[in-house]
């Protein structure tokens, strides 16, 4: 065949080849999205089980402030580690950090299984879990954000997050049963098995896109993201503070109030968060991020305030539903908002900063609210957390109104 014939054949076959390549890429992306979601499920099935760790610390004679320090050491580690993890994930690839995170989580869970006295090992193992979270979560979330167009980013992040939200209900509920029937050691070993499943699942990811070398240099040149992502960072800080107040101290608060089981709270929280993501997942893509963030803040503030009075089985269901709805709306909108504002080559770094802000709020809640609860009681910490969220809501409303007036 002459050169002209080859050229004509290439022209005729070009669209078909491109269509096939596009179909193959879509198949790989769908497969990777499924694998990323499944590995996310196993990882958080292990990690969210440790919301029951305060009960074990209490069993060993620990105080509220010790609970705060042990639980907060995890958040503090992730605060320091996530910006670095985000930049290094941009440099070395997502999959390596998925494997590092799942392996670290498995080792930490095994370590807790052999810890029968409250000592420095608890802090060390929580630090290891902080490293696990920093490595795994930022790499996985960045990976998912790169699979979809910006017009569906909020929806994709929301659907992906369902795999983790399910474990908020399942892990504590199943964990309580394991503890009551087989003890804490079996509980920690079960968490280690879930982390091992995450490790094996992550190995199945394939054909991941590489980061351009220019992006690598940019990612390592500075761990500090662009100033334009400051708004979602500050909102993530407030969200983390309120969530930390709820999740860190609720188990011991409920026990003090005479409730032996709190699994209903986690089920309500998870069901509400999943339900609102399935039904309203595209709202931030269609209406804009801030139009979804505002009502989500109102829900979070209301749910947190409810813990001042609603300490009963039915009350916990109400609080779990309100705060779960807030999470289901707020987290995908804030994540997508952060990615929207970030440079394309620094998404890992930007998401690292976003998640760091959330955990900083969580750590502040653990350390400061633990001391306040020990001296003045639990109700005051939930009143303070709600006040902070409601104040943020009002400031954001006022800022938004001023911006619209200036247009």
């Amino acid at each position: 065949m002459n050169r002209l014939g080859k050229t004509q054949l290439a022209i005729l076959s070009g669209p078909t080849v491109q269509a096939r390549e596009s179909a193959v890429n879509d198949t790989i992306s769908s497969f990777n999205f499924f694998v990323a979601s499944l590995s996310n499920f196993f990882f958080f099935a292990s990690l969210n089980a440790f919301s029951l760790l305060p009960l074990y610390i209490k069993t060993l004679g620990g105080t509220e402030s010790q609970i705060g320090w042990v639980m907060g050491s995890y958040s503090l580690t992730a605060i320091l580690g996530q910006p670095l993890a985000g930049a290094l994930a941009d440099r070395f690839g997502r999959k390596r950090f998925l494997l590092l995170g799942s392996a670290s989580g498995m080792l930490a869970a095994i370590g807790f299984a052999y810890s029968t006295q409250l000592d420095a090992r608890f802090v060390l193992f929580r630090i290891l879990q902080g490293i696990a979270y920093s490595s795994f979560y930022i790499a996985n979330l960045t990976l998912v954000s790169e699979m979809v167009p910006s017009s569906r980013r909020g929806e994709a992040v929301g659907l992906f997050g369902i795999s983790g939200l399910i474990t908020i209900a399942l892990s504590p509920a199943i964990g309580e049963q394991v503890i009551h029937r087989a003890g804490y050691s079996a509980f920690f070993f079960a968490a280690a098995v879930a982390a091992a499943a995450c490790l094996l699942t992550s190995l199945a990811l394939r054909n991941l896109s590489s980061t351009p070398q220019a992006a690598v240099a940019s990612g390592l040149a500075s761990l500090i993201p662009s100033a334009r992502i400051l708004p979602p960072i500050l909102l993530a800080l407030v969200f983390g503070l309120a969530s930390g107040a709820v999740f860190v101290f609720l188990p011991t608060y409920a026990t003090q109030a005479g409730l032996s089981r709190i699994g209903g709270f986690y089920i309500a929280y998870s069901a509400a968060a999943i339900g609102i993501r399935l039904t309203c997942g595209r709202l931030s893509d269609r209406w804009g991020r801030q139009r979804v963030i505002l009502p989500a803040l109102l829900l979070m503030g209301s749910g947190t305030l409810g813990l001042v009075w609603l300490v009963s089985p039915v009350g916990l269901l109400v609080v779990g539903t309100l705060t779960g709805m807030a999470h289901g709306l707020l987290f995908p909108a804030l994540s997508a908002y952060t990615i929207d504002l970030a440079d394309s080559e620094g998404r890992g770094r930007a998401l690292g900063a976003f998640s760091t802000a959330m955990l900083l709020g969580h750590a502040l809640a653990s350390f400061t609210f633990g001391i306040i609860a020990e001296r003045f009681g639990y109700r005051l910490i939930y009143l303070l957390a709600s006040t902070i969220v409601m104040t943020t809501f009002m400031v954001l409303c006022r800022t938004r109104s001023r911006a619209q007036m200036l247009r």
Side-chain angles (χ1 to χ4, degrees), residues 17-39:
V17 172
Q18 291 176 356
R20 289 176 180 174
E21 289 179 351
S22 178
V24 170
N25 290 334
D26 288 344
T27 300
I28 292 173
S29 295
S30 299
F31 174 80
N32 282 341
F33 186 88
F34 171 77
V35 172
S37 299
L38 186 60
S39 63

Side-chain angles (χ1 to χ4, degrees), residues 74-347:
Y74 156 82
S75 299
L76 182 60
T77 303
I79 288 166
L80 298 175
Q82 282 188 111
L84 180 61
L88 292 177
D90 287 338
R91 167 65 178 88
F92 295 105
R94 322 300 184 204
K95 189 171 182 177
R96 293 180 182 180
F97 282 81
L98 296 179
L99 301 179
L100 173 63
S102 52
S104 299
M106 180 180 63
L107 292 175
I110 293 173
F112 275 114
Y114 289 102
S115 299
T116 56
Q117 293 182 341
L118 185 59
D119 52 29
R121 287 178 296 177
F122 276 66
V123 174
L124 292 176
F125 293 140
R126 287 297 281 173
I127 289 174
L128 188 57
Q129 286 182 322
I131 295 172
Y133 177 86
S134 299
S135 302
F136 178 87
Y137 180 67
I138 295 302
N140 213 16
L141 184 58
T142 307
L143 179 66
V144 169
S145 73
E146 293 173 340
M147 295 179 187
V148 295
S150 60
S151 61
R152 301 195 65 184
R153 188 169 286 148
E155 180 187 18
V157 172
L159 292 175
F160 163 75
I162 289 175
S163 60
L165 285 172
I166 293 172
T167 67
I168 294 178
L170 289 180
S171 293
I174 296 175
E176 282 183 332
Q177 297 298 322
V178 174
I179 290 169
H180 282 287
R181 295 184 180 183
Y184 280 100
S185 292
F187 166 72
F188 292 129
F189 277 122
V193 170
C198 173
L199 177 64
L200 294 176
T201 304
S202 299
L203 289 170
L205 288 167
R206 61 188 186 185
N207 294 355
L208 301 182
S209 60
S210 58
T211 305
Q213 290 301 314
V216 169
S218 175
L220 295 178
S222 174
L223 298 180
I224 302 175
S226 172
R228 63 173 172 265
I229 71 168
L230 187 60
I233 296 300
L234 293 177
L235 290 170
L237 178 68
V238 173
F239 179 41
L241 184 74
S243 297
V246 173
F247 280 91
V248 172
F249 299 103
L250 182 59
T252 50
Y253 179 33
T255 300
Q256 186 185 83
L259 301 178
S260 59
R261 300 288 180 91
I262 59 172
F265 167 83
Y266 297 106
I267 293 173
Y269 186 100
S270 182
I274 292 170
I276 206 162
R277 288 191 185 189
L278 290 174
T279 57
C280 305
R282 298 201 68 182
L283 287 184
S284 72
D285 293 327
R286 293 175 177 175
W287 294 357
R289 313 302 182 196
Q290 290 191 27
R291 289 186 178 181
V292 173
I293 290 170
L294 281 170
L297 285 173
L298 191 59
L299 287 169
M300 177 59 76
S302 301
T304 307
L305 184 62
L307 284 174
V308 177
W309 301 286
L310 301 177
V311 191
S312 66
V314 175
L316 290 184
L317 291 177
V318 173
V319 172
T321 300
L322 290 174
T323 52
M325 290 174 66
H327 189 158
L329 288 172
L330 191 56
F331 183 82
L334 284 177
S335 300
Y337 191 19
T338 302
I339 299 168
D340 292 343
L341 297 176
D343 298 325
S344 60
E345 69 272 9
R347 286 172 179 160

Side-chain angles (χ1 to χ4, degrees), residues 1-22:
M1 184 181 296
N2 59 30
R3 183 177 299 177
L4 180 60
K6 292 181 179 180
T7 302
Q8 291 174 335
L9 180 61
I11 292 174
L12 291 173
S13 62
T16 303
V17 172
Q18 291 176 356
R20 289 176 180 174
E21 289 179 351
S22 178

